[in-house]
């Protein structure tokens, strides 16, 4: 593909990494040689969007890219490792013309870039992806109307959307929790008067492809068929603003463990009533672990919520939703089988939302369901769960024990705690449901009614009647496969959405940490996007990352031994993550087919290592962890949406949901470790967080920035930066000044590795003009931004000289 065909798109700062070798940039000689540790001075304000884009060769068919070395994207992404990068770098370095370091730097700063700019001072702005028209797909790639291939980069917006605003749904609170019909989600993900602030920040960070969380409960909490039109109106208001900031989104019908009332999020409370379950009895019967009612004041919520997938409430609801016609044919509600009632209401709800949002250019598609779970479907034993595929933690009853507890029996249940080398171990047993309450409205277990289990007439103990009940069709005896039920629903949902928005993408994810479903000839193909999730499961469960050791939990769950699944150092972490993501991608391409792939969730806990960074301000390990994750995404040429950007996050309750704290934004913005300057601490050493300074922290930042420009002595940007430095930052056009600026950037990088990314960016954009208006607040509130705002697609440069690499 000729260089003239390359159209830079979506970002202001463009770096042709193919011609930027470590020999030309000595400061880049490290394990991140092709992903320079940039600071905002080297970047213009107002990045338009997050998609990396490059022209496609129309003569190359997508189906044959793997066999064509000239294609701009190689399917074998995992080969983009450190060894290959090093080899390519060495070859490039040996071919470089001799000369001094200064001469090479001068040559680089003089090199012209698209728009007649230079490396340090790009001229003008690159293309906004809204100028590229509607997003389409061809094979496994997203494309724009100019046939440019897009790698999308964004966030989940946001974790607090799982929870109502009235009453306050934070999971450490319980007031009004069971009044499930009288809730309100207005103000999620944030109120209209905060929209410009948050959208401009996402634009600045280059994270402008948004997975917009809209739980079923937010739309239909009042009862079946009763939609919250005011909430939908508020969503329309927010989405209408997205084009102003170059943002596009897709709708995520988010759920975890079925519903807030079974310990997660998603479905309205009335769905339990339809199934015959009494949600007020879930705690006493062990049917769910609900943080709102299970935690005592002062307790640190443990990572228990995923175990709800194996407990009575969530498992029953998922089983009825996917396959109630087969496994619970006796259960009817409002004249329909329970499966048809639940599925029809769910689909009608999101079809209604699609009809309301159909006129909005920013909405590109709809997800089927976040992290679908099979419930009891395919469960081989009712007496025990598989330790390799389920999280044994806290109270962990078997399916049979859950049935009995929900039916009003008192039983001793195993309690599991964290351990090593296995993630958990059994510590003790404890009695559950000593009150002998029933989780069923009519007092009898649905699964007992269908002959799955019974009570032994003599011992009065629960006993299994049909241990293989959920693995075979109870009528025909034919073996069942969960994905058969799932794909039938995917087909039904996709056609319903596309009947009102024909161009909509349909995002489909697998069971978490499981292979993708196998697409058959009869399955829906139009605009399908494969959207799995990926996390370092060991890190998020233990909430630790030290940069020394990581583990391949994916491999361990599939029989890999501990030694082979252990990786050392940051390079090892990147190799570990890259390999895991390669498996996810390759399995998707194999089972789903050549369709676009987007990692719908990825990220790191911000409360790592016992929250030490909240006190010290040292986010170095966070940045390394997140950099390893994003490097693995880039190496595999994967689009992604980070989990998550939460506008109400704080250091006390994190994302306010089940003890999680993943947000890359926080109201409790931590300060850096104070440094001694001339024998004294800097003036900001005792500064309070943004939330403590003022509720309207954005205005406070603007006030402080203005004060600094008129001569404040607060040295918050760089050490001893005088007015002449500011002149050089703005750009004098002098070659020597450009070279000096590069050297200062290198020195600053080396000296400030342990500062909080939040604070480095707090004042560093003061010299820039913002096109985002008075509400454009730069990087305020960011956490671990080193990994987010540094160069994107670093792995492409050495391998593909015709690829333009774009920096957010």
């Amino acid at each position: 593909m000729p260089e003239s065909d390359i159209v830079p798109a979506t970002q202001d700062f463009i770096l042709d990494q193919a011609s930027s070798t470590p020999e030309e940039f000595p400061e880049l000689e490290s394990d991140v040689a092709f992903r320079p540790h940039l600071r905002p001075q080297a970047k213009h304000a107002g990045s338009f969007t997050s998609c990396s884009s490059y022209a496609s060769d129309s003569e190359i068919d997508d189906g044959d890219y793997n066999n064509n070395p000239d294609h701009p994207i190689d399917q074998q992404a995992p080969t983009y490792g450190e060894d290959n990068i090093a080899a390519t770098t060495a070859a490039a370095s040996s071919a470089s013309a001799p000369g001094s370091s200064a001469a090479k730097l001068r040559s680089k700063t003089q090199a012209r870039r698209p728009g007649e700019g230079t490396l340090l001072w790009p001229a003008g702005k690159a293309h906004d992806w809204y100028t590229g028209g509607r997003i389409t797909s061809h094979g496994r790639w997203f494309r724009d109307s100019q046939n440019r291939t897009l790698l999308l980069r964004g966030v989940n917006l946001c974790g607090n959307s799982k929870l109502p605003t009235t009453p306050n749904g934070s999971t450490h609170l319980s007031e009004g929790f069971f009044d499930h019909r009288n809730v309100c989600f207005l103000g999620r993900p944030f109120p209209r008067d905060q929209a410009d602030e948050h959208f401009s920040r996402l634009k600045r960070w280059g994270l402008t492809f948004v997975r917009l969380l809209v739980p079923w409960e937010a739309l239909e909490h009042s009862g079946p068929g009763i939609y919250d039109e005011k909430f939908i109106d508020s969503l329309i208001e927010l989405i209408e603003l997205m084009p102003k900031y170059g943002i596009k989104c897709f709708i995520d019908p988010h759920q975890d463990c079925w519903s807030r009332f079974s310990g997660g999020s998603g479905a309205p409370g009335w769905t339990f009533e339809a199934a015959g379950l009494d949600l007020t009895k879930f705690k006493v019967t062990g049917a769910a672990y609900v943080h709102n009612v299970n935690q005592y004041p002062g307790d640190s919520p443990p990572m228990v919520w995923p175990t709800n997938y194996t407990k009575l409430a969530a498992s029953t609801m998922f089983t009825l939703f996917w396959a109630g016609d087969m496994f619970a044919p006796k259960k009817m509600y409002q004249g329909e089988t329970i499966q048809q009632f639940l599925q029809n209401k769910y689909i009608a709800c999101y079809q209604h939302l699609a009809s309301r949002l159909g006129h909005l250019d920013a909405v590109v598609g709809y997800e089927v369901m976040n992290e679908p779970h099979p419930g009891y479907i395919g469960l081989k034993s009712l007496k025990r769960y598989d330790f390799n595929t389920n999280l044994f933690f806290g109270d962990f009853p078997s399916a049979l024990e859950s049935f009995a507890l929900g039916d009003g029996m008192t039983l001793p249940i195993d309690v599991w705690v964290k351990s090593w080398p296995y993630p958990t171990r059994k510590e003790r047993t404890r009695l559950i449901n000593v009150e002998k309450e029933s989780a069923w409205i009519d007092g009898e277990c649905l699964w007992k009614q269908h002959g799955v289990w019974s009570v032994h007439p003599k011992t009065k103990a629960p006993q299994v009647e049909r241990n293989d009940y959920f693995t075979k069709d109870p009528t025909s005896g034919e073996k069942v496969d969960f994905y058969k039920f799932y794909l039938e629903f995917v087909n039904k949902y996709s056609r319903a959405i596309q009947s009102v928005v024909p161009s909509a993408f349909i995002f489909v994810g697998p069971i978490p940490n499981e292979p993708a479903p196998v697409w058959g000839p009869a399955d829906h193909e139009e605009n399908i996007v494969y959207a799995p999730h990926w996390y370092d499961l060991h890190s998020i469960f233990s909430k630790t990352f030290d940069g020394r050791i990581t583990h391949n939990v994916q491999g361990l769950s599939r029989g890999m031994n501990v030694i082979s699944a252990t990786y050392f150092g940051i390079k090892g972490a990147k190799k570990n993550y890259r390999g895991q993501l390669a498996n996810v991608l390759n399995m998707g391409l194999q089972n789903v087919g050549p369709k676009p792939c987007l990692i719908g969730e990825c990220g790191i806990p911000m409360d790592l290592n016992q929250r030490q960074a909240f006190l010290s301000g040292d986010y170095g390990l966070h940045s390394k962890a997140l950099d390893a994750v994003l490097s693995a995404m880039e190496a595999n040429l994967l689009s992604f949406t980070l989990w998550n950007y939460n506008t109400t996050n704080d250091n006390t309750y994190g994302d306010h949901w089940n003890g999680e704290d993943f947000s890359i934004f926080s109201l409790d913005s931590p300060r850096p470790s104070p440094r001694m300057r001339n024998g004294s601490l800097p003036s900001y050493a005792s500064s309070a967080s943004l939330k403590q300074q003022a509720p309207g922290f954005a205005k406070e930042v603007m006030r402080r920035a203005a004060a600094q420009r008129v001569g404040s002595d607060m040295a918050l940007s760089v050490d001893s930066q005088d007015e002449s430095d500011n002149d050089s930052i703005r750009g004098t056009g002098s070659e020597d000044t450009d070279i000096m600026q590069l050297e200062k950037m290198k020195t600053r990088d080396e000296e400030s590795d342990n500062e909080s990314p939040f604070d480095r960016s707090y004042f560093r954009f003061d010299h820039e003009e913002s096109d985002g208006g008075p509400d454009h607040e730069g990087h305020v509130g960011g956490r671990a931004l080193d990994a987010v705002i540094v160069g994107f697609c670093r792995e492409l440069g050495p391998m593909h000289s015709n690829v333009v690499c774009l920096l957010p």
Side-chain angles (χ1 to χ4, degrees):
M1 181 171 60
E3 187 175 11
S4 60
D5 289 343
I6 300 174
V7 182
T10 79
Q11 304 293 351
D12 303 327
F13 191 94
I14 302 174
L15 175 63
D16 184 355
Q17 293 180 349
S19 59
S20 302
T21 67
E23 187 174 358
E24 293 168 300
F25 279 103
E27 70 270 29
L28 304 188
E29 290 182 347
S30 69
D31 62 315
V32 290
F34 294 96
R35 196 176 187 193
H37 200 71
L38 293 177
R39 291 294 184 268
Q41 284 91 334
K43 173 182 175 298
H44 278 190
S47 300
F48 270 114
T49 182
S50 58
C51 62
S52 294
S53 176
Y54 45 87
S56 300
D57 190 337
S58 59
E59 296 180 358
I60 300 176
D61 181 73
D62 272 296
D64 194 41
Y65 57 76
N66 191 37
N67 298 319
N68 195 319
D70 296 325
H71 195 277
I73 294 181
D74 186 341
Q75 183 185 8
Q76 302 302 321
T79 62
Y80 300 165
E82 285 79 3
D83 294 341
N84 287 0
I85 292 173
T88 309
T89 301
S93 298
S94 63
S96 299
S100 66
S101 176
K104 291 170 184 173
L105 283 171
R106 182 176 294 108
S107 174
K108 182 55 61 179
T109 60
Q110 288 178 313
R112 308 309 294 177
R113 290 296 186 264
E116 296 303 307
T118 66
L119 172 64
L120 282 180
W121 317 119
K125 294 187 180 297
H127 292 288
D128 169 4
W129 67 348
Y130 275 88
T131 67
R134 184 171 65 88
I135 297 178
T136 60
S137 64
H138 185 68
R140 64 160 291 197
W141 308 110
F142 291 106
R143 297 280 176 84
D144 67 9
S145 61
Q146 300 177 42
N147 203 33
R148 296 178 299 188
T149 299
L150 308 177
L151 295 178
L152 309 180
R153 194 171 191 248
V155 295
N156 282 260
L157 194 66
C158 59
N160 68 18
S161 294
K162 301 178 181 185
L163 309 168
T165 51
T166 307
N168 187 337
S170 296
T171 54
H172 63 282
L173 303 175
S174 59
E175 184 176 356
F177 178 71
F178 292 115
D179 190 10
H180 58 84
R181 293 177 186 262
N182 297 311
V183 298
C184 177
F185 283 74
L186 282 173
R188 301 299 191 203
F190 40 72
R192 169 61 184 83
D193 60 4
Q194 297 178 14
D196 291 294
E197 172 193 320
H198 294 297
F199 284 154
S200 64
R201 186 175 292 116
L202 289 174
K203 169 185 174 181
R204 187 135 187 162
W205 292 353
L207 298 172
T208 53
F209 191 62
V210 166
R211 185 176 184 240
L212 187 62
L213 276 68
V214 186
W216 187 6
E217 183 188 10
L219 300 171
E220 202 174 358
H221 50 80
S222 295
I226 305 173
Y227 303 131
D228 191 334
E229 300 294 352
K230 289 185 178 179
F231 174 69
I232 297 175
D233 290 341
S234 72
L235 286 180
I236 292 173
E237 237 187 329
L238 292 179
I239 296 171
E240 285 176 339
L241 287 173
M242 289 184 177
K244 175 182 176 182
Y245 298 98
I247 293 174
K248 289 183 184 288
C249 73
F250 67 100
I251 304 301
D252 165 28
H254 203 87
Q255 72 79 32
D256 305 277
C257 306
W258 184 258
S259 171
R260 285 194 302 129
F261 306 99
S262 49
S265 65
W270 52 260
T271 59
F272 293 105
E273 297 171 354
L277 284 162
D278 183 351
L279 55 82
T280 67
K281 304 297 183 182
F282 290 170
K283 175 183 178 180
V284 66
T285 61
Y289 185 98
V290 182
H291 281 258
N292 299 73
V293 297
N294 277 69
Q295 286 297 299
Y296 293 100
D299 283 354
S300 177
M303 192 68 176
V304 165
W305 70 263
T307 65
N308 283 309
Y309 281 113
T310 59
K311 291 183 168 60
L312 177 68
S315 287
T316 294
M317 293 307 302
F318 279 117
T319 305
L320 297 179
F321 184 86
W322 304 119
D325 289 355
M326 177 177 291
F327 295 115
K330 298 178 183 178
K331 185 60 185 176
M332 306 288 291
Y333 190 76
Q334 294 186 359
E336 296 180 276
T337 63
I338 188 62
Q339 175 184 329
Q340 297 307 315
F341 173 80
L342 292 173
Q343 288 193 5
N344 290 342
K345 293 303 178 187
Y346 183 95
I347 291 174
C349 180
Y350 285 98
Q351 186 181 40
H352 174 74
L353 180 64
S355 68
R356 291 290 315 275
L357 306 184
H359 66 288
L360 299 171
D361 291 338
V363 181
V364 303
Y366 295 78
E367 192 164 352
V368 175
M369 178 184 287
N370 177 68
E371 297 185 351
H373 195 273
Y376 294 126
I377 300 170
L379 184 61
K380 296 179 181 179
S381 173
L382 300 181
K383 296 181 179 180
R384 65 182 63 84
Y385 281 98
D386 185 349
F387 185 83
N388 291 321
T389 57
N390 294 278
L391 175 60
F392 282 53
F393 193 39
D395 299 333
F396 201 83
S398 67
L400 175 61
E401 290 169 334
S402 289
F403 297 158
L405 290 169
D407 203 46
M409 300 179 69
T410 302
L411 294 176
I413 300 299
D414 294 343
V415 180
W416 292 69
V417 297
K418 294 180 181 180
S419 68
W420 178 253
Y422 297 104
T424 60
R425 61 177 175 81
K426 177 183 172 182
E427 182 187 57
R428 58 190 174 90
T429 61
R430 76 180 189 97
L431 289 177
I432 292 182
N433 198 10
V434 293
E435 298 87 349
K436 298 188 180 298
E437 297 276 6
S438 174
W440 299 94
I441 295 173
D442 64 6
E444 186 178 16
C445 176
L446 175 68
W447 304 118
K448 184 193 286 187
Q449 293 174 1
H450 283 82
V452 180
W453 71 284
S454 65
V455 178
H456 193 280
K458 294 183 178 179
T459 64
K460 303 301 180 184
Q463 62 181 10
V464 173
E465 294 292 339
R466 302 182 64 176
N467 196 49
D468 61 353
Y469 185 79
F470 295 106
T471 64
K472 299 179 180 179
D473 184 327
T475 303
S476 67
E478 182 181 356
K479 185 177 180 180
V480 300
D481 176 10
F482 165 71
Y483 277 140
K484 175 179 180 293
F485 301 106
Y486 181 52
L487 288 176
E488 287 176 355
F489 179 77
V490 168
N491 298 336
K492 188 176 176 182
Y493 177 91
S494 302
R495 295 186 179 103
I497 297 297
Q498 292 176 346
S499 70
V500 294
V501 187
S503 63
F505 284 108
I506 304 298
F507 294 78
V508 183
I511 301 171
N513 309 312
E514 292 292 324
V518 178
W519 239 251
D523 292 319
H524 190 79
E525 292 280 352
E526 185 66 23
N527 278 355
I528 294 294
V529 176
Y530 180 52
H533 297 173
W534 182 86
Y535 292 97
D536 177 350
L537 295 179
H538 179 265
S539 179
I540 67 171
F541 179 61
S542 64
K543 293 191 177 183
T544 59
F545 183 88
D546 61 8
R548 299 174 182 173
I549 297 177
T550 56
H551 302 280
N552 184 348
V553 178
Q554 180 191 86
L556 289 171
S557 68
R558 300 173 185 177
M560 182 182 292
N561 66 63
V562 174
I563 295 176
S564 299
T566 301
Y567 295 78
F568 299 94
I570 298 300
K571 287 186 178 181
K574 292 179 179 180
K575 181 178 181 181
N576 178 11
Y577 298 168
R578 187 172 65 247
Q580 291 188 50
L581 281 163
N583 291 336
V584 171
L585 173 61
N586 292 335
M587 185 60 70
L589 291 172
Q590 175 182 317
N591 291 0
V592 181
K595 298 175 176 64
C597 181
L598 175 138
I599 303 299
E601 289 185 21
C602 58
I604 64 168
M606 293 295 168
D607 53 350
L608 289 170
N609 305 327
Q610 299 180 330
R611 305 186 175 191
Q612 293 176 11
F614 294 172
L615 300 176
S616 68
D618 182 352
Y619 273 66
L621 287 173
H622 294 70
S623 293
K624 289 176 181 178
L626 190 53
D627 176 73
V629 172
L630 299 188
S631 296
M633 298 290 167
E634 296 161 11
N636 286 285
L637 298 178
L638 285 166
S639 297
F640 62 85
T641 47
L642 283 169
W643 185 268
N644 76 109
Y645 180 100
N646 191 332
T647 62
T648 58
N649 178 281
D650 58 45
N651 287 352
T652 304
Y653 297 108
D655 292 327
H656 286 249
W657 184 83
N658 289 359
E660 285 196 351
D661 188 350
F662 281 77
S663 179
I664 60 172
F665 170 86
S666 180
L667 295 175
D668 277 334
S669 52
R671 311 305 300 175
S673 302
R675 293 186 180 181
M676 298 296 289
R677 292 178 179 172
N678 300 322
S680 62
L681 291 173
S683 56
Y684 67 83
S686 61
S687 295
S689 69
L690 288 182
K691 191 170 69 172
Q692 293 168 329
Q693 291 162 1
F697 61 87
K699 294 180 180 179
E700 177 70 3
V701 171
M702 296 295 285
R703 184 191 68 75
R704 289 191 180 193
Q708 186 189 29
R709 282 193 292 270
V710 299
S712 171
D713 61 355
M714 295 173 64
L716 295 181
S717 287
V718 293
D719 296 352
S720 306
Q721 178 169 295
D722 57 24
E723 187 60 29
S724 63
D725 290 329
N726 289 332
D727 288 340
S728 68
I729 291 173
R730 284 189 288 268
T732 62
S734 163
E735 297 175 9
D736 291 337
T737 302
D738 285 351
I739 296 169
M740 291 172 60
Q741 183 61 21
L742 280 176
E743 294 293 350
K744 287 184 178 181
M745 288 165 58
K746 174 187 175 184
T747 302
R748 184 192 59 227
D749 290 353
E750 292 172 348
E751 291 179 350
S752 60
D753 281 344
N754 292 325
E755 291 183 7
S756 160
F758 166 84
D759 288 290
R760 270 204 305 277
S761 57
Y762 201 161
F763 282 90
R764 242 175 229 148
F765 281 78
D766 292 349
H767 63 278
E768 299 176 339
E769 294 182 3
S770 167
D771 60 1
D775 296 306
H776 192 125
E777 304 307 335
H779 289 1
V780 175
R783 296 155 125 188
L785 289 186
D786 276 355
V788 175
I789 66 174
V790 293
F792 184 40
C793 287
R794 70 186 177 101
E795 308 289 356
L796 300 182
M799 268 60 69
H800 302 291
S801 60
N802 56 351
V803 174
V804 175
C805 297
L806 304 164
L807 303 182

